[in-house]
Amino acid sequence: MLAKSSTEIVRQQNSGLVLAQLRRHGPLSHTELSDRTGLSSATVSAITAELERHQVIERQEQAPPAGRGRPRVSFTQRRECGYLIAVRISSDQLEYSLVDYGGTLIDRLEETRRGQDEARSFASALRNTIERLCERSSLSLGEIRVVSISSKGLVDPLQPVLLWSPVFGDVSVDFSAIRGGGLEPDILLSNETRLVAGALARIVERQADERGTLPPRALCALSLGHGIGLGIAHLDPSGEYQVAAPDFGHMLHLANGGLCRCGSIGCIEATAGFYGILRTAFEVPSDTIPARFVPIIEMEKLAANARRGDRQAQFAFRQAGLALGQGLGRMQSLNEKMPVYFTGPGVRFYDLMERGLMEGLGQSRAIRREGMPELHIILDETALVFAGHLDLALGHMDRTAISASQE
Amino acid sequence: MLAKSSTEIVRQQNSGLVLAQLRRHGPLSHTELSDRTGLSSATVSAITAELERHQVIERQEQAPPAGRGRPRVSFTQRRECGYLIAVRISSDQLEYSLVDYGGTLIDRLEETRRGQDEARSFASALRNTIERLCERSSLSLGEIRVVSISSKGLVDPLQPVLLWSPVFGDVSVDFSAIRGGGLEPDILLSNETRLVAGALARIVERQADERGTLPPRALCALSLGHGIGLGIAHLDPSGEYQVAAPDFGHMLHLANGGLCRCGSIGCIEATAGFYGILRTAFEVPSDTIPARFVPIIEMEKLAANARRGDRQAQFAFRQAGLALGQGLGRMQSLNEKMPVYFTGPGVRFYDLMERGLMEGLGQSRAIRREGMPELHIILDETALVFAGHLDLALGHMDRTAISASQE
DNA sequence: AATGTTTTTCTCGACAGTCGAGAAAATAAA
DNA sequence: TTTATTTTCTCGACTGTCGAGAAAAACATT
């Protein structure tokens, strides 16, 4: 059912527009804001005045008067308006980043995982580190407005609960437990590849904007590693990208396929993940319980063998490509044609998987109809994950900026 | 990028709300409208006055004064405000329905398909029939505001172009050619099962409304017949259902599966469609060009055999169920858990497919994680297709009501 | 028949938001 | 110092929503 509308919502929407432009296109003056948003000059005045009053934005004092006339005064977000902490959970470490409202990295901290953490105490351990991070930069806990957490695995779409992850398996982790004692941030939990897709969506949006072309209606990021992650960004009717991270790695590839670390049989990951590739390469029975961790050096060795002509190694990579191709083809049958961006440590074996990938893609009617999707390779996944964190968390702060400062 | 907002858009949105309530919950009085929409009494007055002025709604004269107090006056849509024609294209006939803005069926006309129609001249033939329909009810062509067309097959998401259909195959049909000479309707082309899913979404929405429960976040309709159609409805952030009809029937089932009538190999439909089932049952080589049409009586005979114990017939239905189950499981890996509504002529063989279906579903990690989806059987597909036409076309007319009457 | 009760609908003034036009401000050039 | 130019701000008009209370239209009571 439709929701009722009101003039206040109009203001909220248009304030959001102003903040979004400010975030994406650096400091902007009154006139530039008016041009970019399409709002009238008078409206921009009203909105910037309100945002200034709430100390969300501020005027940049330095003015390099370019030409004649009254010099422009630029607005920027007030960096101290609020802070976010991005936490990236990976199999071997935890990376914490403290970032201000302007998007500037203030502090970073890495913890190597000590063996197996308790899923139960994990949230409180995380909270401790957040406290430490705040102390180091002498911030009060109340100034942390958003904690954005990412992990590989499956995430509850409504609550900050990690349902399945390579680290904790089926033991779910509820991150709302980090709240309390002055720390009351909004908590955003995302699948890691979802963040990559979100960051890519922002990038292609900007490119389309600069070139004056239409942004693509959808795109996806496919992260290759020990497991397989997929993030899809879709342009919704309002012109915003909606990003989701379905459980692609555990989509059924073959009913009589290999045993997956999730306990099911025939998942894509069980053939295309690192452990699946190794299992095929060394002709280990496919119902063998897969290795929990494979050093990348092992994969490099295998790839070297394959490139040197080892048939069984080549076969393993091709089977992986085939599984990915068939999966992507199936995804394209259920969605529309979209470019695919490969990321993750596995992309360095892309050459070995390419033949299988093409074969698998070609088997889908959807691909044969609409043609091969654009395929891109992205090497720096880490940067995109961080960009995705910022995009998500800062966007969230923008949307809640006025209401949050009213308290 | 976000869109700018304004007070006019607020009015448009709220007018839409009023019209939507009027459509869904019969004639409503001023107070009822205010209650249902959440708008203030004053706003309802302003909106109804405007809609009356534009002759979109009118007061119902008859007043049965229930109790004390000033009697309520009910508003209804003005039936003569505009008309829509729904065209259902099926393999053996064309069904035209002329409906007024109030949703009342005025005239219906059926044409049996004469052999194979020309794809090129099809739009103009359709236009001729529309003209005939208008004459019979002495309406001018200009009063037809929407033509809503449905077919099985694949539809362009942006234009009224049929990309692939069982009737015309890969020869695409552009329905915008029916316009001209006073006939300038908006043309809505939908996959048939998309309409079913849309109608179901409206039904469950109403049920949830009456029971005071939350509507399901998603649902899908799976139409079983000569081909396989899928429609998915998703609750979007604004609370509206977005409906899509992906090419599920031609999603890859098995890389070395049967030849599909689309020319690809291993599509779901090539195993689970009627022709696929027959091919398996009679052990015809799976690369045989499939029959263009299978009389339902043939399927009934086969089903009777299966129920009598014919192993090969049983096997064929079970394989069909398996293909559907695996496909649905894969879909659920890429979406969230959602109830499945089976429709179409094939549901009468549901009992024979059930075992395979369950087996196929159970192979997906997503189903094992989240549990089996609710499975429902809907017998009257025709009614749902018509309801979907009305829902889509009348909703469209509501949204364009004010602007259209301003000309 | 006149008056009160009750319920519904309508109207009025206040408030929030946007917009266009033009005033005011601030600077470089003349 | 004056003029030209560019940017920013302000004012009044317009559209929209809302709450409160007036007006309307019926039944009930005296």
Side-chain angles (χ1 to χ4, degrees):
Chain A
M1 188 56 53
L2 289 161
K4 103 177 193 199
S5 194
S6 66
T7 49
E8 281 87 355
I9 290 178
V10 170
R11 168 56 64 92
Q12 199 178 312
Q13 169 83 2
N14 288 341
S15 295
L17 240 184
V18 166
L19 287 176
Q21 292 300 337
L22 229 40
R23 178 156 314 285
R24 311 230 215 298
H25 305 279
L28 291 173
S29 71
H30 180 103
T31 357
E32 287 166 323
L33 280 173
S34 175
D35 288 349
R36 296 202 88 97
T37 59
L39 295 167
S40 76
S41 165
T43 304
V44 171
S45 279
I47 289 174
T48 52
E50 190 185 32
L51 291 174
E52 266 186 296
R53 199 154 39 77
H54 286 81
Q55 307 200 301
V56 176
I57 63 173
E58 63 191 357
R59 284 150 197 272
Q60 250 188 347
E61 288 315 321
Q62 53 96 345
R68 239 146 120 97
R70 180 171 175 172
R72 304 182 163 191
V73 302
S74 294
F75 292 99
T76 14
Q77 302 102 314
R78 255 188 83 244
R79 297 194 179 296
E80 321 84 64
C81 165
Y83 297 85
L84 74 92
I85 289 176
V87 186
R88 180 179 186 181
I89 302 172
S90 54
S91 52
D92 53 342
Q93 66 162 13
L94 291 174
E95 187 196 70
Y96 295 77
S97 307
L98 174 63
V99 178
D100 68 24
Y101 182 58
T104 311
L105 179 65
I106 295 178
D107 194 5
R108 179 163 278 172
L109 192 150
E110 279 162 28
E111 285 178 348
T112 44
R113 303 186 64 76
R114 38 190 170 221
Q116 52 274 51
D117 293 82
E118 275 282 330
R120 247 172 310 164
S121 61
F122 186 71
S124 72
L126 205 143
R127 186 205 154 86
N128 288 341
T129 310
I130 290 176
E131 284 179 11
R132 192 143 59 87
L133 213 49
C134 282
E135 266 172 48
R136 285 200 342 193
S137 298
S138 38
L139 294 172
S140 79
L141 289 174
E143 291 178 274
I144 304 301
R145 295 258 304 282
V146 178
V147 173
S148 176
I149 306 166
S150 70
S151 166
K152 292 184 188 297
L154 194 61
V155 155
D156 189 298
L158 301 174
Q159 302 164 300
V161 175
L162 188 57
L163 298 172
W164 181 89
S165 60
V167 177
F168 300 112
D170 266 317
V171 182
S172 71
V173 182
D174 183 352
F175 287 100
S176 46
I178 68 168
R179 288 215 192 83
L183 183 67
E184 295 294 340
D186 294 337
I187 302 173
L188 309 173
L189 174 62
S190 316
N191 170 287
E192 196 178 279
T193 315
R194 195 214 99 104
L195 292 183
V196 173
L200 286 168
R202 191 66 71 203
I203 290 170
V204 298
E205 190 178 45
R206 174 192 278 256
Q207 282 176 353
D209 185 46
E210 280 166 5
R211 293 180 195 155
T213 57
L214 280 178
R217 284 172 43 90
L219 62 81
C220 69
L222 189 63
S223 175
L224 310 178
H226 198 67
I228 307 291
L230 180 77
I232 307 183
H234 259 285
L235 213 53
D236 73 7
S238 74
E240 286 284 273
Y241 278 102
Q242 292 294 111
V243 197
D247 203 6
F248 183 80
H250 300 281
M251 187 167 96
L252 182 66
H253 168 52
L254 261 184
N256 54 352
L259 176 63
C260 180
R261 59 178 167 163
C262 75
S264 284
I265 287 173
C267 297
I268 288 180
E269 179 181 298
T271 300
F274 284 171
Y275 66 87
I277 296 175
L278 282 173
R279 198 163 49 187
T280 312
F282 293 111
E283 298 179 77
V284 178
S286 70
D287 59 349
T288 310
I289 304 233
R292 257 187 86 77
F293 183 69
V294 176
I296 186 81
I297 191 79
E298 291 297 317
M299 293 300 298
E300 293 282 14
K301 273 192 219 156
L302 186 67
N305 286 344
R307 291 192 183 107
R308 243 185 269 112
D310 178 335
R311 287 304 186 87
Q312 192 60 30
Q314 287 176 345
F315 176 72
F317 281 108
R318 210 169 81 215
Q319 289 302 103
L322 191 67
L324 294 175
Q326 289 189 2
L328 283 173
R330 287 176 173 131
M331 188 197 69
Q332 200 144 136
S333 295
L334 294 178
N335 289 279
E336 55 195 316
K337 185 179 176 182
M338 63 180 92
V340 182
Y341 294 83
F342 291 92
T343 64
V347 291
R348 63 188 94 175
F349 316 123
Y350 183 84
D351 58 325
L352 294 167
M353 296 192 279
E354 191 165 16
R355 260 183 64 196
L357 184 72
M358 293 303 164
E359 185 186 339
L361 280 167
Q363 289 169 352
S364 263
R365 164 70 172 162
I367 306 273
R368 296 174 57 179
R369 261 205 67 78
E370 302 165 2
M372 279 282 171
E374 285 174 40
L375 303 177
H376 304 270
I377 292 179
I378 303 265
L379 294 173
D380 193 356
E381 187 179 39
T382 311
L384 284 178
V385 173
F386 186 61
H389 269 295
L390 293 198
D391 183 55
L392 192 70
L394 293 173
H396 181 84
M397 285 172 81
D398 284 345
R399 277 188 297 280
T400 56
I402 324 95
S403 44
S405 64
Q406 270 180 344
E407 293 155 12
Chain B
M1 190 55 54
L2 290 160
K4 104 177 195 199
S5 195
S6 66
T7 51
E8 281 87 354
I9 290 178
V10 171
R11 168 56 63 94
Q12 198 178 313
Q13 170 84 1
N14 288 341
S15 296
L17 240 183
V18 166
L19 287 176
Q21 292 299 337
L22 229 39
R23 176 155 316 284
R24 311 230 215 298
H25 306 278
L28 292 173
S29 72
H30 180 103
T31 356
E32 289 166 322
L33 280 174
S34 174
D35 288 349
R36 296 202 89 97
T37 58
L39 295 168
S40 76
S41 165
T43 305
V44 171
S45 280
I47 289 174
T48 52
E50 189 185 34
L51 291 174
E52 266 187 297
R53 198 153 39 78
H54 286 81
Q55 306 199 302
V56 176
I57 63 173
E58 64 192 356
R59 285 150 195 272
Q60 250 187 349
E61 288 314 322
Q62 52 97 345
R68 239 146 121 96
R70 178 170 175 173
R72 302 184 166 193
V73 301
S74 295
F75 292 99
T76 15
Q77 303 103 312
R78 256 187 81 244
R79 297 195 180 296
E80 323 83 65
C81 167
Y83 298 85
L84 74 93
I85 289 176
V87 186
R88 180 180 185 180
I89 302 172
S90 54
S91 53
D92 53 342
Q93 65 163 11
L94 291 175
E95 187 195 70
Y96 295 77
S97 307
L98 174 64
V99 179
D100 68 23
Y101 182 57
T104 312
L105 179 65
I106 294 179
D107 193 5
R108 179 162 279 173
L109 192 150
E110 279 163 28
E111 284 177 349
T112 45
R113 304 185 64 75
R114 33 182 176 231
Q116 52 274 50
D117 294 82
E118 276 282 330
R120 247 171 309 164
S121 60
F122 187 70
S124 72
L126 205 144
R127 186 205 155 87
N128 288 342
T129 310
I130 290 176
E131 284 179 10
R132 191 142 61 86
L133 213 49
C134 283
E135 268 172 47
R136 285 199 344 192
S137 297
S138 38
L139 293 172
S140 79
L141 289 175
E143 291 179 275
I144 305 300
R145 296 257 304 281
V146 179
V147 173
S148 176
I149 306 166
S150 70
S151 167
K152 292 184 189 297
L154 194 62
V155 155
D156 190 299
L158 301 174
Q159 300 164 303
V161 175
L162 188 56
L163 298 173
W164 181 88
S165 60
V167 177
F168 301 110
D170 266 318
V171 182
S172 72
V173 182
D174 184 352
F175 288 100
S176 46
I178 67 168
R179 288 214 191 85
L183 182 67
E184 294 294 341
D186 294 336
I187 302 173
L188 308 174
L189 174 63
S190 315
N191 170 286
E192 196 177 279
T193 315
R194 196 215 99 105
L195 292 183
V196 173
L200 286 168
R202 191 66 70 204
I203 290 170
V204 299
E205 190 177 44
R206 174 190 278 255
Q207 282 176 353
D209 187 46
E210 281 166 4
R211 292 179 196 156
T213 57
L214 280 178
R217 283 171 46 89
L219 64 81
C220 70
L222 190 62
S223 175
L224 310 179
H226 198 67
I228 307 292
L230 179 78
I232 307 183
H234 259 284
L235 212 54
D236 74 7
S238 74
E240 287 283 273
Y241 279 103
Q242 292 293 110
V243 197
D247 203 6
F248 183 80
H250 300 281
M251 187 167 95
L252 182 66
H253 168 51
L254 261 185
N256 53 353
L259 176 63
C260 179
R261 59 179 167 162
C262 76
S264 283
I265 287 174
C267 297
I268 288 181
E269 153 175 326
T271 300
F274 285 171
Y275 66 88
I277 297 176
L278 282 173
R279 197 163 51 187
T280 312
F282 293 110
E283 298 179 76
V284 178
S286 70
D287 58 350
T288 310
I289 303 233
R292 257 186 86 78
F293 183 70
V294 176
I296 186 80
I297 191 79
E298 291 297 317
M299 292 299 298
E300 293 282 15
K301 272 193 218 155
L302 186 66
N305 286 345
R307 291 189 184 110
R308 243 184 269 113
D310 177 336
R311 288 305 185 85
Q312 192 61 29
Q314 288 176 345
F315 176 73
F317 282 108
R318 212 171 79 216
Q319 289 301 103
L322 191 67
L324 294 175
Q326 289 189 2
L328 283 173
R330 287 178 173 129
M331 188 196 70
Q332 198 144 139
S333 295
L334 294 179
N335 290 278
E336 56 195 315
K337 186 179 176 182
M338 63 179 92
V340 182
Y341 294 83
F342 291 92
T343 64
V347 291
R348 62 188 94 174
F349 315 123
Y350 183 84
D351 58 325
L352 296 166
M353 297 192 280
E354 190 166 16
R355 258 183 66 196
L357 185 72
M358 293 303 163
E359 186 185 339
L361 280 167
Q363 289 168 350
S364 263
R365 164 70 173 163
I367 306 272
R368 296 174 56 179
R369 260 205 67 79
E370 302 165 1
M372 279 282 171
E374 285 174 40
L375 303 177
H376 304 269
I377 292 180
I378 304 265
L379 294 173
D380 193 356
E381 188 179 38
T382 311
L384 285 178
V385 173
F386 186 62
H389 269 296
L390 293 198
D391 183 56
L392 192 70
L394 293 173
H396 181 83
M397 284 172 82
D398 283 346
R399 276 188 296 281
T400 55
I402 324 95
S403 45
S405 64
Q406 270 179 342
E407 293 155 13

